[in-house]
Amino acid sequence: MDANRSALIALTALAPVSWGSTYAVTTAFLPPDRPLFTAVLRALPAGLLLLALARVLPRGAWWGKAAVLGALNIGAFFPLLFLSAYRLPGGTAAVVGSTGPLLVAGLSLLLLGDRPTPRTLLTGVAAALGVSLVVLKAAGALDPVGVLAALASTASMSTGTVLTKRWGRPDGIGPLALTAWQLTAGGLLIAPVALVAEGAPPALDGPAIGGYLYLALANTAVAYWLWFRGIGRLTATQVTFLGPLSPLTAAVIGWAALGQTLTPVQVAGMTLAFGATVFGQLGVRPATAAPLPAAAGSAPLVREPAGAPGPERNPRPRRTA
């Protein structure tokens, strides 16, 4: 693995690592029981900020494509993830989410023509097993709505990842603009649902404002830019194998900052999941995005360089977004 590709993977991995901090920030600083409001404040300001920086609007077919990707990766993914987190016992949603690499492998076969290798399938099973050992605890009967929501959220993000890879980017458009379009579309989709379901926004104190600024800027704007940038340059399977870093990071933060304990079984699971994450990056040729012609893409106000350097899963994200 060359140094440039290693650096690309490391930067892309910062996205799920950042998402692993969502649970701690939400429970420590944000108003309780407002997941959709939190989702709006994460997605929409971040999208508008990146849109102002990129100064590029979609055009033609990309208005529809940006809306579809924004709905899959943000607008549908966030609410479904929250619903599963509220209705399932601790860690179960994260376990379902850890099956993402296997789902992406199947979708890549259907939509990209990439046939999964036995190595990919075995590594995906190992990643899911490792995450299960870290976050899954004994529980009674599972809520069927919660299970369906967890499966749907995983399917939504996985489909968005593969479609992002399939559609690439319009000629001359970089990952900053693509991220801005998706975050803005997703935020606009969630906003009316949040208003109907949760009512008027709550009053915010200083810590809440700081928490929302962190989520909107570092946890969303920067993290999703790195994620979608990685999708453009790595294979879809490689990117999704970085997903288990999110629940692993949440477990480490819980141990280091929240006083939670880690059992030997959890440590073994973390080792297995991290090993699968690393193994999933080896022996794969770097991928390049296939840009669409400018006529089918967008009309930039200021052209962004095309070569400019996107399921959070927490052990128990009761009030996270």
Side-chain angles (χ1 to χ4, degrees):
M1 186 184 299
D2 60 72
N4 289 337
R5 182 160 162 261
S6 297
L8 172 62
I9 292 172
L11 286 174
T12 307
L14 291 178
V17 168
S18 171
W19 297 333
S21 68
T22 305
Y23 173 71
V25 171
T26 301
T27 55
F29 302 113
L30 304 187
D33 302 319
R34 302 303 295 265
L36 294 179
F37 175 73
T38 297
V40 173
L41 286 195
R42 281 188 66 189
L44 193 53
L48 293 175
L49 173 62
L50 294 185
L51 194 62
L53 292 175
R55 299 182 63 190
V56 182
L57 293 176
R59 182 181 177 182
W62 268 96
W63 281 106
K65 290 181 178 181
V68 170
L69 294 178
L72 290 171
N73 290 321
I74 307 295
F77 172 70
F78 277 2
L80 288 168
L81 177 65
F82 305 146
L83 178 60
S84 67
Y86 275 104
R87 300 185 70 106
L88 293 178
T92 304
V95 172
V96 175
S98 68
T99 63
L102 298 174
L103 185 55
V104 165
L107 290 171
S108 295
L109 174 62
L110 294 175
L111 300 178
L112 304 178
D114 294 339
R115 185 179 299 276
T117 64
R119 166 199 175 109
T120 296
L121 298 177
L122 289 175
T123 306
V125 171
L129 177 59
V131 172
S132 300
L133 293 176
V134 174
V135 302
L136 193 58
K137 299 179 181 179
L142 297 180
D143 180 83
V145 174
V147 172
L148 289 175
L151 290 172
S153 67
T154 303
S156 179
M157 186 66 164
S158 298
T159 305
T161 297
V162 176
L163 283 179
T164 301
K165 187 66 184 177
R166 176 181 173 87
W167 289 339
R169 298 192 302 267
D171 185 30
I173 299 300
L176 187 69
L178 184 65
T179 305
W181 299 346
Q182 295 187 55
L183 287 173
T184 302
L188 291 174
L189 180 64
I190 301 171
V193 180
L195 184 62
V196 172
E198 297 180 352
L204 302 179
D205 56 15
I209 293 174
Y212 281 124
L213 285 174
Y214 166 77
L215 291 181
L217 298 177
N219 191 266
T220 302
V222 174
Y224 273 93
W225 170 66
L226 291 173
W227 185 253
F228 294 128
R229 173 178 175 267
I231 293 175
R233 301 184 178 189
L234 301 169
T235 69
T237 303
Q238 274 183 293
V239 174
T240 196
F241 265 122
L242 298 173
L245 292 176
S246 179
L248 297 186
T249 301
V252 171
I253 292 176
W255 167 74
L258 303 180
Q260 299 174 357
T261 60
L262 289 175
T263 67
V265 172
Q266 287 178 302
V267 173
M270 293 175 69
T271 303
L272 179 60
F274 184 75
T277 297
V278 173
F279 194 68
Q281 310 306 316
L282 302 177
V284 182
R285 292 183 179 180
T288 56
L292 296 180
S298 58
L301 304 178
V302 174
R303 182 177 290 265
E304 181 187 359
E312 301 105 319
R313 306 293 180 188
N314 301 314
R316 185 54 172 157
R318 286 185 179 276
R319 296 187 295 272
T320 186

